Amino acid sequence: MKQLSRGTMYGLLFLIVLTFLVHALATIPFIHELRLSPMVLGVVVGMILANTLRPRLPESWNGGLKIASKQLLRAGIVLYGFRLTYDTILQIGGGAILIDVIIVVGTLLIGNYLGRALGLDKDERLLIASGSAICGAAAVLATEPVVGAKPHKTAVAVATVVLFGTLSMFGYPLLYRAGLLDALSPHAVGIYTGSTVHEVAHVVGAGAAMDPEIAGIATMTKMLRVLLLAPVLMGLGYLMRRGRGGSATTSKVQIPWFAFYFLIAIAINTLLFRASDDTEWIEGYHQLTHFIETIDGFMLAMAMTAIGLDATFAKFKQSGAKAFLLALGLYVWLVGGGYLLTLLLA
């Protein structure tokens, strides 16, 4: 194993301290009520520092920032699998599964073609589309190493999905209370929420603001969308290699092995949950997975903070309003198209 330089170690230490600060900010009541996770706050804090303090940081620290935004990111996505089980699929019904698949595939296709029409490059449109299609910031982070996108593009994509996910978290309960979702049963409202809202935290927040039954169905539906992350990453990896087939750069396009490890983590979690009916075993395993989730959340927050630290306003200007127009178009599809799909198939 290659020994890390002193500057790289200082860069990692700086990020660790900064991530602890981000977690502390997430406990502030106002921020907590908005369901803004440390991952999201990490990129916000990183972006603020990128345009203020970052030019004064030693260049030798860049190695630590790069490790956080690459290796720690992939490890965090793999550990994310311990939040999920394959039993989720069996609990929500065939209609919800079909809706989730259509939403994910449709969002990716619409995002690609609409993004191309707006003049966005492939990296930007795939990042925004994957975040809108699957699980918000986590999906953007997972897609970034597959498409080889630059950090500032990742930050733009995260900003868009967080914006519209937050709108949904407040908007869906308003629609529900106003009676505009009365054509759907509570079960169907849960499916609609879980299949169309961006972030897991936003789904939980929106569901809890409506009804406990809706919250449960919405969360399970959302977890199924998260399960689709691995096949989407594998498909994107294949398409990226095929698009460059026969060129000298083919060998540089890496297979997203972390997507396979992500599926393995889900399988292990599923098997261990089923392994015993003993109460002590189950409680002990829950404690273990809670610890893994805590470590995983910290790693992903570190990665997001590192990505935010590379997002200067000058780089944002390269995308301009086009990225937000793409995210808006996908949001209209999710809200309107998702409602019609739920009405027909749930």
Side-chain angles (χ1 to χ4, degrees):
M1 181 176 176
K2 186 177 179 181
Q3 187 174 1
L4 299 179
S5 68
R6 181 176 297 181
T8 298
M9 293 294 293
Y10 285 152
L12 285 171
L13 182 59
F14 171 72
L15 270 178
I16 290 171
V17 173
L18 199 55
T19 306
F20 273 117
L21 173 62
V22 165
H23 276 78
L25 289 174
T27 63
I28 295 174
F30 172 73
I31 296 176
H32 182 72
E33 289 175 5
L34 290 177
R35 299 296 195 278
L36 294 179
S37 67
M39 279 199 305
V40 174
L41 284 177
V43 75
V44 173
V45 171
M47 287 168 58
I48 293 172
L49 295 179
N51 294 279
T52 54
L53 180 66
R54 177 65 193 274
R56 301 177 184 178
L57 296 179
E59 290 187 10
S60 61
W61 291 16
N62 291 346
L65 305 184
K66 186 174 292 186
I67 287 175
S69 64
K70 301 295 181 184
Q71 284 90 339
L72 284 183
L73 165 60
R74 295 174 186 179
I77 295 298
V78 172
L79 291 179
Y80 197 87
F82 285 97
R83 304 169 188 249
L84 310 170
T85 68
Y86 290 118
D87 294 333
T88 302
I89 298 176
L90 304 176
Q91 296 176 7
I92 60 173
I97 295 172
L98 181 58
I99 291 169
D100 267 348
V101 171
I102 294 174
I103 286 291
V104 169
V105 174
T107 304
L108 290 170
L109 291 175
I110 293 171
N112 185 50
Y113 287 109
L114 179 58
R116 183 181 297 169
L118 288 169
L120 291 169
D121 63 32
K122 183 183 293 185
D123 297 353
E124 290 173 305
R125 57 183 189 256
L126 287 178
L127 288 173
I128 295 170
S130 64
S132 299
I134 306 171
C135 53
V140 175
L141 284 172
T143 305
E144 185 264 340
V146 177
V147 301
K150 295 181 179 179
H152 75 274
K153 295 180 181 180
T154 304
V156 171
V158 168
T160 62
V161 299
V162 169
L163 170 63
F164 291 106
T166 303
L167 285 176
S168 292
M169 187 181 70
F170 291 109
Y172 279 42
L174 290 175
L175 293 175
Y176 179 73
R177 294 192 191 98
L180 298 177
L181 301 180
D182 286 351
L184 303 176
S185 67
H187 182 88
V189 173
I191 292 174
Y192 173 52
T193 303
S195 63
T196 57
V197 177
H198 298 65
E199 292 274 350
V200 175
H202 291 153
V203 170
V204 174
M210 289 186 278
D211 181 84
E213 178 188 353
I214 291 173
I217 297 298
T219 302
M220 287 189 289
T221 305
K222 182 62 179 178
M223 288 301 99
L224 173 58
R225 277 174 78 193
V226 177
L227 285 175
L228 295 174
L229 176 61
V232 166
L233 294 178
M234 294 173 194
L236 287 177
Y238 170 76
L239 292 174
M240 294 295 288
R241 293 196 309 278
R242 185 178 178 184
R244 297 168 179 164
S247 69
T249 61
T250 302
S251 61
K252 298 180 181 179
V253 182
Q254 299 179 355
I255 297 173
W257 290 110
F258 67 94
F260 290 93
Y261 301 145
F262 172 75
L263 288 176
I264 292 171
I266 298 173
I268 293 171
N269 196 38
T270 304
L271 291 173
L272 290 178
F273 261 119
R274 297 175 179 173
S276 175
D277 294 328
D278 182 69
T279 303
E280 291 185 4
W281 159 262
I282 294 173
E283 289 179 355
Y285 187 67
H286 273 300
Q287 291 177 358
L288 175 61
T289 54
H290 178 71
F291 175 75
I292 292 173
E293 288 178 18
T294 301
I295 297 298
D296 176 48
F298 193 86
M299 292 169 65
L300 289 176
M302 275 186 70
M304 291 292 281
T305 305
I307 287 170
L309 280 164
D310 197 60
T312 60
F313 291 137
K315 292 178 179 178
F316 269 90
K317 291 179 181 178
Q318 297 175 18
S319 299
K322 295 178 181 178
F324 287 90
L325 286 175
L326 172 58
L328 175 61
L330 292 176
Y331 186 62
V332 171
W333 147 250
L334 288 170
V335 174
Y339 179 82
L340 292 176
L341 284 171
T342 306
L343 198 62
L344 293 172
L345 299 176

